[in-house]
Amino acid sequence: GDSVTQMEGPVTLSEEAFLTINCTYTATGYPSLFWYVQYPGEGLQLLLKATKADDKGSNKGFEATYRKETTSFHLEKGSVQVSDSAVYFCALSEDSGAGSYQLTFGKGTKLSVIP
Amino acid sequence: NAGVTQTPKFQVLKTGQSMTLQCAQDMNHNSMYWYRQDPGMGLRLIYYSASEGTTDKGEVPNGYNVSRLNKREFSLRLESAAPSQTSVYFCASSEWDSGWGNDEQYFGPGTRLTVT
C-alpha cells in the first residue's frame, strides 16, 4: 500500500537557519503530495501541495518540489523564524473511489526554532 | 465561516463507557473523515464518508462506529472505551475538484480523549 516516510525529529534550529525536512513516498499510481503544519494545540493546516511531477508548491517562504524520479517531496525554507515552530506532516493523496481521496500521512517532524 | 468544528474539546472516560464525538462542517463538502493522532504515529484514518449516506472503514476502524447524519455532520462513536483509544481525534472534510481530482482536507481543532 501507499506509505510516506519523513525524517525523524525533533529538529532544533536557530532563527534564520536553513530548513530541510526530507520526505519520500511509495504509491501505486500518481498521487498528489502535501505538506501540512500543526501548531501547538491546533488542528492541521495545509501548507503547500503539488499535483504532478516537477510541480513546485510554495507558501509562506516554504517550498517543495514533486520529484517522481526519486519519489521525494522535501520541504525547504531559506530562513526560519520562531513562529515556524510546529509539527510538519508530509502526506499523499490517492483516489479511494467515489470521489473521496484518502490521505496517507508521515509520522510528523517537530521543528523548534530558537531565537 | 466556522470551517470544521468538533465537540467536545476534552473528554475523560472510564474503561467500558461510551461516548460520541461530534463533527460539523459549513463548507458544503461532500467528503468527511475521522483520524486519530498518536505520538510517533502520525495521523491514521479511522472511517470516512465519501458522500452523504455512505461510510467506509479506514486503516484503524476496530472499536469505533460512525454516522453521517446529514451533509454537514459526521459523528464518531466509541461503544465501550478502552485505554488503547486514548488519543487526539481529528475530523476533516474535503470537496473533490473535478478539474484536477484532488482537493485539500480541512481539519477541525481536535478532541483530546483520555480513557482510564
Side-chain angles (χ1 to χ4, degrees), chain B residues 45-105:
Chain B
L45 183 65
I46 304 171
Y47 272 93
Y48 67 99
S49 170
S51 60
E52 188 178 353
T54 71
T55 60
D56 284 287
K57 295 178 181 179
E59 182 186 352
V60 288
N62 290 347
Y64 305 95
N65 284 302
V66 291
S67 296
R68 184 74 183 266
L69 303 168
N70 47 55
K71 191 171 186 180
R72 288 187 64 247
E73 299 173 288
F74 188 39
S75 62
L76 178 73
R77 183 159 177 84
L78 287 70
E79 290 290 352
S80 179
S84 61
Q85 294 177 305
T86 293
S87 188
V88 181
Y89 291 86
F90 288 100
C91 178
S93 70
S94 71
E95 184 64 35
W96 184 66
D97 184 326
S98 61
W100 57 282
N102 280 286
D103 205 350
E104 69 173 283
Q105 291 186 16

Side-chain angles (χ1 to χ4, degrees), chain A residues 52-68:
Chain A
K52 60 184 188 299
D54 299 326
D55 268 3
K56 178 186 279 188
S58 61
N59 186 26
K60 298 182 182 180
F62 291 89
E63 292 183 340
T65 301
Y66 190 143
R67 301 284 188 203
K68 190 166 179 293

Side-chain angles (χ1 to χ4, degrees), chain A residues 2 4 25-27 29-34 36 50-51 66 90-96 100-105, chain B residues 33 35 94 96 100-105:
Chain A
D2 297 346
V4 175
Y25 68 91
T26 58
Y30 300 94
S32 291
L33 301 175
F34 303 82
Y36 279 82
T51 59
Y66 190 143
C90 185
L92 66 80
S93 172
E94 282 200 296
D95 185 0
S96 60
S100 181
Y101 286 76
Q102 292 192 35
L103 283 173
T104 300
F105 286 90
Chain B
Y33 311 81
Y35 294 90
S94 71
W96 184 66
W100 57 282
N102 280 286
D103 205 350
E104 69 173 283
Q105 291 186 16

Side-chain angles (χ1 to χ4, degrees), chain A residues 3-48:
Chain A
S3 67
V4 175
T5 303
Q6 60 182 105
M7 62 188 285
E8 301 269 331
V11 174
T12 302
L13 295 174
S14 297
E15 208 164 20
E16 299 184 4
F18 185 85
L19 169 71
T20 301
I21 301 178
N22 291 336
C23 171
T24 57
Y25 68 91
T26 58
T28 51
Y30 300 94
S32 291
L33 301 175
F34 303 82
W35 277 101
Y36 279 82
V37 58
Q38 183 180 31
Y39 298 104
E42 297 184 10
L44 279 71
Q45 304 172 25
L46 180 68
L47 180 59
L48 54 84

